[in-house]
Amino acid sequence: MLPEWNSGNRTSVEHIKQAWWDLENSKATPTNTLDNLKQQIAVSLSTNQIPLVSINFGFGYVDSLALQDGRIRIENDQLIDAGGASPYISKKVHIAVLATKDVVAGKTYQLVAGSTFLLQNLPDEPVTGYAVQNLTNGQIYTVAANGTSSVTFVFAGKNALKITVNTTKGSYTTHQDINVLPPASQTRSTSATSSEPEDRLLTSTIPFKGYNEVTATISHADYHIYYHFKNSDDSQSERILKKPIVILDGFDPLDKRNYAAIYDTLLLYGNKMWKLGDELRLKGYDVVILNFPMTGSTDVEKRRNGDIYIPLINGQRRDGGSDYIERNAYLLVKLIQDLNAELRRNGSTEKLVVVGPSMGGLISRYALAYMEKMSINHNTRL
């Protein structure tokens, strides 16, 4: 990609991450790793900031014709500089993109630029600032080299951006497409008969120290209660917890499968024509979906998780979908305790049913075994 790059080309945040990795690892001693960049991007996105990730870099690469015209030769299966004319071609690239693929229409974000998000080795041509033009609506936002600027995306759908990197020697453009999601739907109905799920935040109380971690920490998750249908009418629910069946997610890095996807897709049967969740609700079950999300929700992630913000853990993002089995099991322990307490308040004598596919099964077994070992009543029959 980089040798063929020219000003005005189109790219994406994933492409610039790959370019960052390639260039940073070409150094004898990398100082600003891609992992560090990803972490800084994630923390920024969780606070409604969108980093401008920029590369202002010079490098050399071997001319593909150098072997043919004798500038290099093969000796003992190695490429050797033959002397004379240089076999290398010098190249400079000046690229910038917004560090996200998705935003929400009508939401105000802060564009953020600075050394944390800039990879450069051109002291004679430093970056002086940026201009972000939304070609869809004509808006232009200017950002200083170490500055911020408020931005709002008005039109939902694909928005075309033109991003200009200004240096002391010139200006260079990058084109990027960004997906603007429509605003979240109006607040869900919480009437006594609404069939929509109730969205809740879950916080564990048992800390766990991972094998490569310094301190033990708790975690957070989102869970959603699809209450049993009222009188065999699938348009109305009785929003009182009486007979819960807990279905938890399995291995899901980056939380690509949210609670709605679990209910609407994973619980299909009969050639994917019937929703098991709806059938269970018709039989009087309250279907509780437990999802293990990314902590420190971005605005888009919050929208996908029932408008629930998942807090950071000690100021850091964490991937709940690929976290330790033990830590996610402790979340399930807390959920079981909370549901049982709610059942008692509601006068229900029903026992819980817990279902976990794949990794979710391991989490379930660990949680129930832990509760039995610690003499905690899980009130679970299956």
Side-chain angles (χ1 to χ4, degrees), residues 55-322:
I55 293 177
N56 186 49
F57 211 92
F59 61 94
Y61 62 96
V62 176
D63 188 342
S64 60
L65 299 176
L67 184 61
Q68 178 180 329
D69 61 22
R71 283 176 287 162
I72 56 175
R73 66 178 187 275
I74 299 176
E75 186 176 302
N76 297 325
D77 294 326
Q78 293 182 330
L79 292 175
I80 305 297
D81 190 336
S86 172
Y88 304 103
I89 296 176
S90 296
K91 178 81 174 185
K92 293 181 181 179
V93 292
H94 317 272
I95 312 170
V97 299
L98 272 62
T100 186
K101 296 183 293 184
D102 303 296
V103 294
V104 176
K107 182 78 176 183
T108 298
Y109 299 89
Q110 288 292 319
L111 297 179
V112 181
S115 59
T116 300
F117 307 110
L118 172 63
L119 185 67
Q120 66 174 343
N121 68 347
L122 299 174
D124 63 331
E125 191 178 0
V127 172
T128 58
Y130 307 89
V132 178
Q133 181 179 6
N134 188 332
L135 301 177
T136 303
N137 62 14
Q139 289 289 105
I140 299 177
Y141 307 91
T142 58
V143 187
N146 290 285
T148 64
S149 179
S150 297
V151 58
T152 303
F153 295 87
V154 178
F155 299 112
K158 185 176 76 172
N159 280 211
L161 306 181
K162 177 183 176 182
I163 304 172
T164 302
V165 181
N166 297 311
T167 74
T168 55
K169 293 185 178 181
S171 297
Y172 313 88
T173 60
T174 304
H175 287 267
Q176 176 187 11
D177 291 333
I178 195 165
N179 183 36
V180 181
L181 303 171
S185 58
Q186 63 182 17
T187 303
R188 284 186 176 145
S189 171
T190 57
S191 70
T193 60
S194 172
S195 63
E196 296 177 337
E198 181 178 323
D199 312 303
R200 299 181 182 179
L201 173 69
L202 179 68
T203 300
S204 60
T205 57
I206 306 169
F208 174 77
K209 180 182 175 182
Y211 310 120
N212 60 345
E213 297 175 345
V214 177
T215 59
T217 59
I218 53 87
S219 196
H220 306 285
D222 57 284
Y223 71 101
H224 310 263
I225 303 176
Y226 292 79
Y227 289 101
H228 57 276
F229 290 131
K230 183 178 181 181
N231 300 326
S232 300
D233 181 354
D234 62 4
S235 66
Q236 293 186 325
S237 291
E238 184 183 20
R239 298 178 73 83
I240 300 174
L241 190 75
K242 291 183 176 180
K243 191 177 180 181
I245 176 169
V246 179
I247 301 173
L248 56 150
D249 201 5
F251 184 66
D252 183 23
L254 303 179
D255 193 29
K256 295 182 179 179
R257 181 177 54 237
N258 71 338
Y259 76 95
I262 296 171
Y263 188 91
D264 294 330
T265 303
L266 290 189
L267 298 184
L268 294 178
Y269 73 101
N271 293 324
K272 298 185 177 182
M273 295 180 62
W274 307 99
K275 284 186 177 181
L276 179 59
D278 287 354
E279 294 296 320
L280 290 169
R281 295 167 75 187
L282 285 169
K283 295 181 182 298
Y285 285 97
D286 304 298
V287 179
V288 182
I289 305 295
L290 174 58
N291 181 55
F292 303 109
M294 298 290 298
T295 65
S297 307
T298 67
D299 195 56
V300 172
E301 290 166 349
K302 179 182 174 184
R303 181 179 181 275
R304 293 180 68 247
N305 289 333
D307 204 33
I308 294 176
Y309 174 76
I310 311 298
L312 292 166
I313 304 296
N314 292 344
Q316 299 293 313
R317 292 263 283 176
R318 177 184 290 161
D319 187 352
S322 61

